[in-house]
Amino acid sequence: MPYTVELPCKPGDQVWFLRRFHDTRVPICGTVTELLFTDYWHPLIVVYGVGRGLWGKTVFATKEEALQKGQIK
């Protein structure tokens, strides 16, 4: 049975990535270059020159979402 996965973004989109810097999390804007999948079909988003992460945990659509998530330690 084939699976359908709804992607939160596509290559070329601008996203915000939460990156650890010392004891804080800093949002960094970057461009999506690749979409990979984990073993459980969660999209793993690769942001050019920044890193890779999961949507809603380290990668966000807006800076406000990233800042809100970054305040939670």
Side-chain angles (χ1 to χ4, degrees):
M1 178 175 178
Y3 292 97
T4 301
V5 177
E6 185 176 329
L7 300 175
C9 59
K10 63 185 184 303
D13 285 353
Q14 293 289 318
V15 294
W16 289 87
F17 189 91
L18 266 184
R19 189 136 196 218
R20 285 187 164 229
F21 184 72
H22 296 290
D23 290 337
T24 61
R25 295 179 187 172
V26 179
I28 299 171
C29 186
T31 304
V32 175
T33 56
E34 288 182 82
L35 291 169
L36 308 171
F37 291 94
T38 66
D39 294 338
Y40 297 102
W41 290 96
H42 294 124
L44 185 65
I45 299 155
V46 180
V47 180
Y48 180 75
V50 180
R52 66 177 94 184
L54 296 174
W55 189 261
K57 292 191 179 194
T58 54
V59 182
F60 301 90
T62 65
K63 186 176 183 180
E64 290 76 26
E65 288 176 306
L67 287 171
Q68 183 180 10
K69 185 71 171 189
Q71 292 174 355
I72 301 169
K73 296 212 177 197

